[in-house]
Amino acid sequence: SILLTTFALMQANRKNIDMRDTKEKIALEQIGENYLAACKSGKLFELPDTQGDYEIVTKTDETLVVRSKADNEIALTIELQDGKITKWELN
């Protein structure tokens, strides 16, 4: 029974980690979508520099770089060329 309890606890912990990772990815994807919409509408200046647990460090018509406040690591990089996405990288 100890083995089964340990296994169940490990699975529950893994599920919590997976859920947290999914929520982080959704938040970053939303920041990216907001960036694309702001570029398209010409209102890039209205895109907030801080969004939840993330901070935008580079925001131009061709590049978006977002870092995590928690670990100061780059979390999202988007590059555009002629209005088309050439790079969308979640780290």
Side-chain angles (χ1 to χ4, degrees), residues 31 35 44 47:
I31 292 170
Y35 165 72
L44 190 58
L47 188 66

Side-chain angles (χ1 to χ4, degrees), residues 36-75:
L36 294 176
C39 285
K40 188 175 184 177
S41 68
K43 297 181 180 180
L44 190 58
F45 63 92
E46 291 181 8
L47 188 66
D49 291 334
T50 300
Q51 297 185 32
D53 295 332
Y54 301 98
E55 181 177 32
I56 295 175
V57 293
T58 304
K59 175 175 58 172
T60 69
D61 290 335
E62 297 176 343
T63 306
L64 177 74
V65 178
V66 179
R67 72 174 176 85
S68 169
K69 291 179 187 176
D71 60 12
N72 214 23
E73 295 288 325
I74 301 300

Side-chain angles (χ1 to χ4, degrees), residues 6-24:
T6 302
F7 180 73
L9 290 173
M10 286 175 42
Q11 290 296 72
N13 187 44
R14 183 70 205 156
K15 183 178 178 183
N16 289 338
I17 291 170
D18 290 345
M19 182 64 76
R20 185 194 69 218
D21 290 347
T22 300
K23 287 179 180 180
E24 289 174 359

